[in-house]
Amino acid sequence: MADLKDRYLVTAALPYANGRLHVGHIAGAYLPADTFVRFLRLMGKEAHFICGSDENGAPITFSAMKNNCSPQEVIDKFHNIFDQSFKGLGINFSIYGRTHSDYHTKVSQDFFKTVHEQGHIQKHTTEQVYCSECKMFLPDRYIEGTCYYHDCGKTGARGDQCESCGRTVDATKLKDPVCMVCKMQGRPGTGCIEVKETAHWYLRLDTFQEDLRKYIDTHPEWRESVKRFSYGLLDQGLNERAITRDLSWGIPVPLEDGQDKVLYVWFDAPIGYISFTRQYFESIGKADEWKEFWCNEENGLLHFIGKDNTVFHAVMFPGMLLAHGGYRLAGNVVANEFLNLEGNKISTSRDYAVWVDEYLEHFSPDPLRYYLSAIAPEASDSDFSWKDFQQHNNGELADNLGNFIQRNVAFCNKYFDGIIPERKNKTEAGDKMLQEIEDARKEIGELLSEFKFKFALERMMRFSQRANQFFAEETPWQSRKTDMDACGSTIHIGLLVLEAMSIVMEPFLPFSSAKLRAMLNVAPLKGGEWNQPLTIKAGEKVGTAEVLFPKFDDDLIQPRIDDLNK
RNA sequence: GGCGAGGUAGCUCAGUUGGUAAGAGCGACGGAUUCAUAACCCGUAGGUCGGCAGUUCGAAUCUGCCUCUCGCUACCA
């Protein structure tokens, strides 16, 4: 088994509180993180799971404007939706914090102040686009105008990039600029834009260029995509990077001349991992324990993210931590690629997505967890398709795994009155199956500890398939008429397989695992069971067989497809 | 434009460092069986691994060119 540490802190990317969660978010960060944490606990390891809502920044204020409400109402709304979606999928954080909290604000400001005192932050004055109607500086993306490149000249160019020619543009140079924030509120948006000077603070990432390279160098085990991307950035050379913004909604810059400025959300968001950790350990009466994970390299610290966050987790946040000087760096940044939907890009703004809250109105969580692990975008982008979802559920969960559970428990009830029979016949086939149990535990564990969730799940299904093979070859439905000892031995082993299955499936299918254990009459999992002896004993009673994985008919799937095409 | 990822059996995809890896799952076809959610189990199906050229005793796996798809290009997160 890959060398696991005894104690871990696992973080999952903070979801931004201006839109619901969709399957892409889940597949990218939360599900693999949750799966890994569950696995660690079954291995008897200590694991804390940190996440929270990312609640600062411009888009939230604009979202509030659009909906005629306050930013606070926006973040409250999404915080609650996130919370319910996570709970509904069985993604259970040790703490789910909020970056708009006082606690986080203070930790972030202290962090900024320390880095500032170390001399790694510099102040510069630049020119930015300002709207005299909105009385605010505009993020580049909220300015539209005519592209100033001679060979383009198209309208509709945004302040960050021209949609037509694809080039990066300087927002202050756009012709006929229009304020989109004004337009959002029904004003014309023209004639109100000017270019004004404003001061901002910059993090000298360039100072840590070589330290960051060494950091990546010491982690050859990271996923190729993360390393490649990080080296790409380092090869280009790191620049100083603005870490403040002219905004009203966010964490105030803790400097005397920092009035009306807030920290850039990507500066404060990763600090959330730290502040939430501290908050969590305080809440359980171990106020200093957070240092075990943030200052002590002996223990595990892992970030699970989608690939769009790689730059922040593999370069910028480590740079921040180095600049601060009081922290260790993460042991791994586990990034996933993107999930497409029916061959197209998932799009929040166009409402083209499978939303978690809507999914949960129609289905139970485990089939989604299963499917998203089966198509996990670990090495390259992958595609969510409802038909494929149906196929995986029906053909694998229901027909193979679910059916094996069903046929064993039902058989035990039907022909042994639900009393677990003894294994009186020690056959070679039986020994092989028992060995297969141990092989499965070991190999699935190895794959999980290497973050190969897709392979681990495949291995789990092969275990299920081998169990079905064993059952078919032993033909207990025949031996029950001629040799009850042989028959009972087969069922005994089958039930042992089920108990082992309830353990190895738990990281992927926690709800079904709990149901299965209840069905088998074995104690709920409490940690450490992965490598412990199984507890099924002859003479004890099992419950009645229950269908764990119903099949999904077309009439359940088709409406979901129709929904997308609306 | 620059950087990057892909184009492998009908479909979805695996393929560490070049040489019994041309593979899996599903679909399809045939067989066996009845304990089970008409489930399970067994067997079959042959795709010149996008195109061209090259390096090599030998390449899906290395190099160059071509073609197609896609992502990123950092101050929205």
Side-chain angles (χ1 to χ4, degrees), chain A residues 5-12 33 36-37 40-41 45-51 94-95 270 272-278 280-281 289-296 298-304 317 328 330-332 451:
Chain A
K5 295 171 185 284
D6 289 330
R7 313 181 67 193
Y8 278 90
L9 188 78
V10 175
T11 76
F36 192 70
V37 167
L40 287 175
R41 289 176 181 159
K45 309 297 184 185
E46 178 182 329
H48 308 283
F49 191 13
I50 308 295
C51 193
S94 304
I95 182 173
Y273 299 141
I274 299 170
S275 68
F276 301 158
T277 305
R278 295 181 60 163
Y280 164 64
F281 280 114
E289 196 78 351
W290 67 275
K291 293 179 187 163
E292 286 299 309
F293 300 97
W294 287 100
C295 309
N296 181 357
E298 293 300 304
N299 297 317
L301 174 60
L302 303 172
H303 301 309
F304 283 79
F317 186 44
R328 50 80 59 94
N332 204 334
F451 310 116

Side-chain angles (χ1 to χ4, degrees), chain A residues 40-280:
Chain A
L40 287 175
R41 289 176 181 159
L42 288 172
M43 288 292 289
K45 309 297 184 185
E46 178 182 329
H48 308 283
F49 191 13
I50 308 295
C51 193
S53 300
D54 180 6
E55 306 182 312
N56 296 313
I60 284 166
T61 63
F62 297 144
S63 190
M65 274 178 206
K66 237 186 260 181
N67 296 298
N68 279 315
C69 63
S70 66
Q72 186 67 46
E73 286 173 291
V74 172
I75 64 174
D76 286 349
K77 174 186 161 190
F78 286 111
H79 184 75
N80 289 331
I81 293 178
F82 290 163
D83 196 48
Q84 281 177 19
S85 292
F86 285 132
K87 284 200 176 107
L89 288 178
I91 292 167
N92 301 333
F93 303 110
S94 304
I95 182 173
Y96 188 74
R98 310 183 62 159
T99 64
H100 204 68
S101 65
D102 292 341
Y103 195 104
H104 173 74
T105 298
K106 183 174 183 314
V107 172
S108 299
Q109 289 179 328
D110 287 348
F111 192 106
F112 179 94
K113 275 190 277 192
T114 300
V115 178
H116 189 257
E117 282 159 15
Q118 308 273 10
H120 298 308
I121 292 176
Q122 287 192 342
K123 186 180 179 184
H124 295 301
T125 300
T126 59
E127 295 198 320
Q128 299 275 314
V129 175
Y130 182 85
C131 172
S132 56
E133 280 290 325
C134 303
K135 300 208 176 357
M136 64 183 289
F137 285 94
L138 297 174
D140 289 348
R141 169 183 187 174
Y142 292 91
I143 306 153
E144 270 188 25
T146 304
C147 182
Y148 53 79
Y149 284 101
H150 299 302
D151 55 344
C152 178
K154 301 260 171 44
T155 57
R158 285 200 324 216
D160 51 351
Q161 188 177 33
C162 172
E163 296 284 312
S164 298
C165 63
R167 278 174 290 209
T168 305
V169 300
D170 181 342
T172 61
K173 292 182 189 162
L174 279 181
K175 294 179 185 166
D176 309 319
V178 180
C179 171
M180 300 313 284
V181 180
C182 278
K183 291 203 98 172
M184 229 184 280
Q185 296 173 299
R187 294 193 292 267
T190 50
C192 52
I193 288 186
E194 50 195 270
V195 174
K196 270 174 74 164
E197 283 203 336
T198 181
H200 280 295
W201 285 267
Y202 292 74
L203 177 65
R204 293 290 306 272
L205 274 179
D206 51 316
T207 307
F208 302 97
Q209 165 105 17
E210 288 319 306
D211 290 329
L212 288 168
R213 186 180 294 278
K214 275 183 209 150
Y215 173 49
I216 312 289
D217 284 344
T218 56
H219 289 289
E221 79 283 7
W222 286 13
R223 287 188 178 171
E224 284 303 319
S225 58
V226 176
K227 285 188 290 180
R228 216 168 20 229
F229 188 77
S230 303
Y231 281 128
L233 292 169
L234 291 168
D235 290 346
Q236 286 171 42
L238 300 178
N239 300 315
E240 55 179 17
R241 191 164 169 145
I243 53 171
T244 59
R245 291 289 185 274
D246 288 296
L247 277 181
S248 54
W249 186 254
I251 294 176
V253 173
L255 297 173
E256 283 192 8
D257 49 349
Q259 287 164 3
D260 300 325
K261 316 265 184 193
V262 299
L263 299 182
Y264 174 40
V265 288
W266 266 116
F267 188 81
D268 88 71
I271 296 173
Y273 299 141
I274 299 170
S275 68
F276 301 158
T277 305
R278 295 181 60 163
Q279 211 171 354
Y280 164 64

Side-chain angles (χ1 to χ4, degrees), chain A residues 215-443:
Chain A
Y215 173 49
I216 312 289
D217 284 344
T218 56
H219 289 289
E221 79 283 7
W222 286 13
R223 287 188 178 171
E224 284 303 319
S225 58
V226 176
K227 285 188 290 180
R228 216 168 20 229
F229 188 77
S230 303
Y231 281 128
L233 292 169
L234 291 168
D235 290 346
Q236 286 171 42
L238 300 178
N239 300 315
E240 55 179 17
R241 191 164 169 145
I243 53 171
T244 59
R245 291 289 185 274
D246 288 296
L247 277 181
S248 54
W249 186 254
I251 294 176
V253 173
L255 297 173
E256 283 192 8
D257 49 349
Q259 287 164 3
D260 300 325
K261 316 265 184 193
V262 299
L263 299 182
Y264 174 40
V265 288
W266 266 116
F267 188 81
D268 88 71
I271 296 173
Y273 299 141
I274 299 170
S275 68
F276 301 158
T277 305
R278 295 181 60 163
Q279 211 171 354
Y280 164 64
F281 280 114
E282 265 182 37
S283 75
I284 59 171
K286 298 178 178 175
D288 282 336
E289 196 78 351
W290 67 275
K291 293 179 187 163
E292 286 299 309
F293 300 97
W294 287 100
C295 309
N296 181 357
E297 298 246 17
E298 293 300 304
N299 297 317
L301 174 60
L302 303 172
H303 301 309
F304 283 79
I305 60 169
K307 70 173 169 186
D308 50 334
N309 285 349
T310 306
V311 59
F312 300 106
H313 289 77
V315 176
M316 187 164 154
F317 186 44
M320 286 164 57
L321 294 172
L322 289 171
H324 181 287
Y327 295 100
R328 50 80 59 94
L329 304 183
N332 204 334
V333 177
V334 185
N336 279 304
E337 307 298 298
F338 280 155
L339 190 67
N340 292 317
L341 175 55
E342 306 288 1
N344 304 304
K345 251 185 101 165
I346 293 178
S347 167
T348 300
S349 56
R350 283 185 291 114
D351 192 33
Y352 184 77
V354 175
W355 304 104
V356 173
D357 50 332
E358 286 180 10
Y359 169 89
L360 289 170
E361 288 172 16
H362 304 281
F363 303 95
S364 56
D366 279 351
L368 181 65
R369 291 181 62 114
Y370 179 84
Y371 181 55
L372 292 182
S373 292
I375 62 166
E378 287 169 9
S380 59
D381 293 355
S382 65
D383 191 47
F384 181 110
S385 132
W386 278 111
K387 276 300 200 186
D388 198 38
F389 167 73
Q390 180 186 27
Q391 238 170 31
H392 277 268
N393 180 76
N394 294 1
E396 294 169 18
L397 273 187
D399 288 350
N400 201 299
L401 178 56
N403 183 238
F404 181 69
I405 294 168
Q406 181 79 357
R407 69 198 303 202
N408 265 280
V409 178
F411 200 105
C412 184
N413 274 296
K414 201 162 166 185
Y415 299 110
F416 294 93
D417 297 322
I419 310 292
I420 302 171
E422 266 185 70
R423 186 189 177 209
K424 289 182 181 162
N425 289 11
K426 308 274 195 280
T427 60
E428 194 181 328
D431 288 343
K432 262 181 79 178
M433 194 61 229
L434 292 177
Q435 182 58 45
E436 169 62 25
I437 290 177
E438 298 315 313
D439 290 349
R441 294 214 261 192
K442 179 163 173 287
E443 288 169 28

